[in-house]
Amino acid sequence: MEKSIKVINLDIQGMTCAGCVSSLEKALSKVDGVHLAEVNFALNRASVRYNPEFANYSQLESAVKAAGFSARLKCENNEFAELYEKSEDEYQKLYGQVKFALGFTVPLVLLAMAPMLGLSLPVIISPETKPLNYGMIQLLLTLPVLWAGRNFYAKGFFLFFNLSPNMDTLIATGTSAAVGFSIWNLSGTSQNIGGLYFETACVIISLILLGKSLEFKSRIRASEAIYSLLKLRPKEAVLVNNGKESSILIDLVESGDILRILPGSTIPVDGVIVKGSSYLDESMLTGEPVAVKKTVGTEVIGGTLNTNGVLDVKVKRVGAETTLSGIIQMVENSQLSKSRVSRMADKVAAVFVPIVLFISLVSGFLWWLSGAEVNEIVSYTIAVMVIACPCALGLATPIAILVGTGIGARNGVLFRSALALESTHDLNTIFIDKTGTLTEGCPKVTKLITNEDFTKEDLLFYASYAEKGSEHPLGKAVVDEAKKYSFNSTEVSGFEAKPGFGVKALVNGYTVIIGNQSFMEAEKILFGNLPEIAKEIPKGSTSVFVGIEGELAGVICLGDQTRLESKQSVFKIREMGIEVVMLTGDQETPAKAVAKKTGITNLHFGISPEEKSKIIKKYQQKGYRVGMVGDGINDAPALAQAEIGISMGTGTDVALKSSDLVLMKNDLRQVVFALLLSRATLKNIQQNLFWAFSYNVISIPIAAGLLVPFGGPALHPMLAAAAMALSSVSVVLNSLRLRKFSFSQVSQ
Ligand code: ADP
Ligand code: MG
């Protein structure tokens, strides 16, 4: 990202439908210095990229205001909880309005239908004897309902005159036409009492309010996943200072503090255990149902649950730096971003409303030409306006993405963006790194082979000091092995790691080179009696060469367990019609051994990180859509090259920032889960779009009365309102179905 570009997120109030999205995006983009404005209807959020030299927050805010909405700077995520709770209040308010509106609408409908239902009314308001009173009392019952729906009118007409009509415009014009026409009829005659549409207007408003409140409730339910992550954060912690315990507010905890964590309580921030051991339940972050044992020296993650022991934890990261904050941020961003489908849906929704207004006028005009009664004409025009709200269309994609990413987060599968979630569904090749992905990634030294100039101890001594600074699992294994011997300390300098090849350092004055064969060749190490040494390497084990002062001193053999779930996951991925390819920097024999154990037939071995990304590129040029699973550090080029870079087992910053999909657990089954979830979400979006679209396409001609000349039914405006409200609700309910998706389904 360029330095001069800033991104801010705004909470938007007053958005009522998908049509608002594009008018708001337009308004924001018009501000000087704004590069991109993305508005998400499901979250009521706008994300704006702008150049701070030209634009500032208050300009953006006033642009939002001018467009008819209100904005405020998006809260940091600890305020998200507040926002969530406020939504609950807002829902209660909306629900109150619904009850209020229905309280007047129900008697009104009964009154209006009385003659049809054969109810006898008191003489004073009887339609036969006192038609004017009968009409007037209906008007009186209507006024409070119009009041309840005042927002529709304010917004709808405002946007109408701004030439960016939205769904409120449709409702406002539709119901005003109904009420206006009725009043006109009422004032015109005192004899004949036909042509009253008060109840129609009221039913439309009540139903739409009802639909909105249901939709609102469902949106609250959809953001539950992220809210439940937030609730994991405790408000207080126990600080240990000179052996004394005191309670401290979580915001005041600093890195380096020692916190005491009692059994049954939540780890408040990220840190390292300095005393005690316990089983931690990390399921909320990783989806892993089995509690994991943690002892002194291991890292603990804020938000996880301490089940039995007492722990003292030294704080490493607080506030926005913590893993949990990173996760929440990532989920929020991905829910805010837009996928290709949702961009398209927004475009359709934007042109929809003007087209519908046009169709409704045209159909009214045609009915007038055909000599229809005024009553009928009004009824058709209103029905078209009401039924054609593109609300469901606008909700179809964001609501599914909201639920999909939320479910992912709950199960330790984090999608960077909506686009990532969308692109994952049609991957057809998955590249998998061997070390640490297919295998445990905790190799152990199994054998030391030396030439006659060195003893095994010497070899290990030099190798372990050279590897001291290495992050590579092989390097760590060598260092671990050396712990068994109590070597004297020695001086190490000039440490250099070459990812995919090995390390180099000056130990005790000697140049030590450790790594694979090509690294030895590049460093001009004399191989001497290599063929003999090679014979001693156990079959299938990984071996690294150690060169000291230009000569091959020996070979360290290492064994790495293949993960139990690897084979099953590879099988499941292939079952989905996806090709699995193994990539490794390791040599042929160990690579083939792992491939055989996991059922992989397509593999590339002995390759450098750059070559990994080249191979991926080649596949992509042939038209494959590639996902790459790696450990996020030395596989960075390959992860970046793939359509979807998947990093595993790390909640680290690098992983959260550099990949499209982060798996919180080192478990290939999470790849299977991510693929299934993405496919299910995409299918859900398609269903939603299909529903929403066909609903509008089918219902508009019916509402316009197209079937009537052929003896088909006409659609009463009240029914149109009911259908419209139902369509939004059905889309939302369909997406909520995704919530039953869980990791345990894949892990069996
Ligand atoms: P993978 O693709 O299996 O993750 P890497 O690309 O990380 O493997 O490394 C490729 C090879 O480079 C290893 O098999 C090993 O031979 C050598 N290598 C890399 N780093 C080190 C190190 N720190 N110590 C010894 N050997 C190393
Ligand atoms: Mg690796």
Side-chain angles (χ1 to χ4, degrees):
M1 199 182 295
E2 298 161 55
K3 247 208 182 121
S4 53
I5 299 295
K6 230 178 132 173
V7 181
I8 58 167
N9 292 334
L10 303 170
D11 283 325
I12 304 293
Q13 261 150 32
M15 283 204 290
T16 44
C17 85
C20 305
V21 169
S22 67
S23 53
L24 187 56
E25 279 179 355
K26 240 191 277 166
L28 283 168
S29 314
K30 269 195 205 138
V31 177
D32 269 350
V34 170
H35 294 236
L36 182 72
E38 290 188 322
V39 176
N40 184 304
F41 175 47
L43 285 174
N44 288 319
R45 288 275 169 75
S47 157
V48 187
R49 284 171 66 100
Y50 67 100
N51 185 336
E53 283 173 37
F54 296 105
N56 60 29
Y57 170 64
S58 66
Q59 281 169 322
L60 297 176
E61 193 186 41
S62 43
V64 173
K65 242 189 215 133
F69 311 94
S70 69
R72 70 173 186 150
L73 206 55
K74 192 197 96 55
C75 317
E76 280 317 309
N77 52 33
N78 49 350
E79 284 177 43
F80 182 93
E82 241 175 72
L83 213 67
Y84 177 88
E85 277 146 21
K86 237 181 43 213
S87 312
E88 193 55 58
D89 291 347
E90 223 167 291
Y91 164 73
Q92 288 301 339
K93 232 168 73 190
L94 200 56
Y95 187 58
Q97 275 179 352
V98 173
K99 284 197 287 197
F100 176 80
L102 280 175
F104 291 93
T105 303
V106 171
L108 174 60
V109 170
L110 286 177
L111 202 64
M113 305 280 239
M116 267 180 276
L117 299 175
L119 296 176
S120 55
L121 295 171
V123 182
I124 182 99
I125 54 166
S126 148
E128 286 89 27
T129 52
K130 300 270 185 197
L132 194 63
N133 287 2
Y134 178 64
M136 282 309 284
I137 192 156
Q138 290 191 35
L139 176 58
L140 285 180
L141 285 168
T142 303
L143 294 177
V145 182
L146 295 184
W147 170 248
R150 62 194 176 281
N151 286 338
F152 293 132
Y153 296 100
K155 171 94 6 88
F157 285 118
F158 180 86
L159 290 175
F160 183 74
F161 293 116
N162 249 2
L163 293 185
S164 51
N166 74 347
M167 130 179 188
D168 293 334
T169 314
L170 293 176
I171 295 167
T173 45
T175 54
S176 316
V179 173
F181 183 66
S182 310
I183 293 177
W184 184 67
N185 269 347
L186 191 60
S187 60
T189 62
S190 52
Q191 310 296 313
N192 173 10
I193 198 63
L196 294 187
Y197 282 101
F198 291 121
E199 84 285 2
T200 305
C202 292
V203 167
I204 290 171
I205 290 174
S206 303
L207 282 180
I208 296 209
L209 280 174
L210 180 68
K212 278 218 160 303
S213 73
L214 289 177
E215 185 192 307
F216 204 88
K217 180 89 195 163
S218 316
R219 279 202 261 162
I220 293 180
R221 294 228 321 242
S223 23
E224 249 165 28
I226 182 166
Y227 180 61
S228 66
L229 280 178
L230 279 156
K231 274 198 305 198
L232 296 176
R233 235 192 286 238
K235 292 203 166 60
E236 290 187 348
V238 181
L239 182 72
V240 185
N241 200 351
N242 292 330
K244 273 199 206 121
E245 289 183 12
S246 59
S247 170
I248 179 173
L249 279 177
I250 209 73
D251 292 334
L252 301 177
V253 171
E254 283 174 18
S255 154
D257 285 350
I258 307 282
L259 300 180
R260 180 151 299 162
I261 292 126
L262 300 175
S265 63
T266 302
I267 312 273
V269 287
D270 295 355
V272 178
I273 300 178
V274 289
K275 200 171 141 196
S277 76
S278 176
Y279 282 88
L280 296 198
D281 175 2
E282 298 187 324
S283 59
M284 50 300 276
L285 298 184
T286 63
E288 166 69 60
V290 185
V292 200
K293 179 153 192 196
K294 304 262 172 169
T295 54
V296 173
T298 40
E299 280 214 22
V300 292
I301 300 173
T304 55
L305 186 74
N306 177 17
T307 62
N308 55 354
V310 178
L311 296 175
D312 279 4
V313 169
K314 184 166 179 186
V315 177
K316 277 183 77 180
R317 287 181 294 266
V318 294
E321 308 279 287
T322 60
T323 305
L324 189 59
S325 286
I327 292 173
I328 291 168
Q329 203 56 55
M330 185 157 167
V331 176
E332 271 194 68
N333 285 342
S334 76
Q335 294 185 336
L336 198 55
S337 70
K338 278 190 182 172
S339 66
R340 276 177 290 243
V341 210
S342 65
R343 270 177 216 288
M344 227 181 55
D346 283 351
K347 271 190 199 144
V348 175
V351 292
F352 211 79
V353 175
I355 292 179
V356 166
L357 281 172
F358 181 73
I359 294 180
S360 94
L361 289 180
V362 169
S363 71
F365 182 68
L366 290 178
W367 279 110
W368 178 71
L369 281 186
S370 74
E373 271 185 51
V374 187
N375 276 352
E376 267 178 299
I377 299 175
V378 172
S379 167
Y380 290 132
T381 344
I382 297 173
V384 173
M385 283 195 229
V386 169
I387 204 158
C389 281
C391 205
L393 201 60
L395 266 177
T397 321
I399 199 81
I401 297 221
L402 191 69
V403 182
T405 45
I407 291 304
R410 264 209 154 138
N411 291 282
V413 170
L414 309 176
F415 289 95
R416 159 153 309 278
S417 62
L419 202 61
L421 177 64
E422 187 185 280
S423 307
T424 303
H425 95 282
D426 61 355
L427 295 178
N428 52 20
T429 313
I430 300 277
F431 284 87
I432 305 181
D433 172 47
K434 180 185 71 105
T435 317
T437 310
L438 285 166
T439 65
E440 296 278 355
C442 315
K444 296 222 158 42
V445 174
T446 52
K447 193 171 179 186
L448 298 164
I449 310 166
T450 56
N451 71 14
E452 54 279 4
D453 300 340
F454 288 88
T455 63
K456 289 182 179 165
E457 274 87 26
D458 281 344
L459 184 76
L460 196 59
F461 173 80
Y462 286 105
S464 62
Y465 277 104
E467 293 275 20
K468 259 243 145 82
S470 169
E471 295 211 339
H472 200 279
L474 293 178
K476 285 189 178 154
V478 173
V479 175
D480 273 351
E481 180 69 13
K483 283 184 187 150
K484 292 183 190 160
Y485 305 79
S486 14
F487 290 138
N488 294 330
S489 63
T490 189
E491 201 171 307
V492 185
S493 60
F495 174 81
E496 218 180 294
K498 202 157 179 253
F501 292 94
V503 296
K504 188 176 172 180
L506 205 63
V507 182
N508 200 14
Y510 296 109
T511 309
V512 182
I513 313 273
I514 311 176
N516 55 18
Q517 195 163 345
S518 29
F519 194 40
M520 296 299 122
E521 281 159 13
E523 293 289 333
K524 307 219 164 36
I525 301 293
L526 295 175
F527 268 80
N529 52 353
L530 180 68
E532 258 153 64
I533 288 186
K535 267 188 230 149
E536 292 183 48
I537 299 173
K539 223 176 148 36
S541 78
T542 296
S543 47
V544 296
F545 300 99
V546 184
I548 301 178
E549 283 297 301
E551 188 197 345
L552 184 72
V555 179
I556 301 175
C557 305
L558 302 109
D560 192 2
Q561 291 278 312
T562 305
R563 288 175 183 280
L564 281 177
E565 67 286 344
S566 292
K567 185 174 183 180
Q568 171 205 11
S569 307
V570 168
F571 180 78
K572 283 197 173 158
I573 296 173
R574 293 173 76 170
E575 215 178 30
M576 279 185 249
I578 299 170
E579 168 94 28
V580 178
V581 187
M582 179 170 119
L583 289 179
T584 179
D586 207 350
Q587 289 115 339
E588 179 166 358
T589 17
K592 283 196 166 154
V594 173
K596 199 170 162 210
K597 272 196 195 146
T598 50
I600 296 178
T601 47
N602 193 347
L603 68 158
H604 299 263
F605 44 82
I607 50 176
S608 69
E610 276 68 37
E611 285 170 321
K612 286 184 184 176
S613 83
K614 274 191 200 137
I615 291 175
I616 290 176
K617 203 165 174 183
K618 248 187 226 148
Y619 270 76
Q620 287 171 325
Q621 280 160 353
K622 282 190 216 150
Y624 288 95
R625 299 193 27 84
V626 176
M628 161 83 200
V629 193
D631 50 24
I633 303 166
N634 72 9
D635 293 320
L639 289 174
Q641 177 64 41
E643 253 95 47
I644 297 292
I646 306 169
S647 66
M648 265 192 139
T650 36
T652 61
D653 242 23
V654 204
L656 286 172
K657 285 197 177 110
S658 66
S659 31
D660 305 292
L661 175 52
V662 176
L663 308 177
M664 294 300 292
K665 197 163 43 146
N666 234 335
D667 184 339
L668 266 187
R669 288 174 300 183
Q670 284 203 317
V671 175
V672 180
F673 178 76
L675 288 166
L676 289 174
L677 178 62
S678 162
R679 288 187 177 191
T681 309
L682 258 285
K683 200 169 134 199
N684 197 273
I685 291 176
Q686 280 157 4
Q687 288 165 346
N688 284 353
L689 285 176
F690 175 80
W691 257 107
F693 209 76
S694 49
Y695 155 83
N696 276 320
V697 168
I698 293 169
S699 53
I700 291 177
I702 299 178
L706 203 69
L707 299 180
V708 176
F710 311 103
L715 193 61
H716 192 279
M718 280 199 274
L719 278 179
M724 136 79 212
L726 257 177
S727 78
S728 299
V729 172
S730 66
V731 160
V732 173
L733 289 181
N734 186 43
S735 290
L736 286 179
R737 280 190 319 133
L738 278 175
R739 298 199 310 167
K740 64 171 195 274
F741 218 78
S742 87
F743 180 66
S744 54
Q745 286 167 303
V746 223
S747 55
Q748 285 140 24

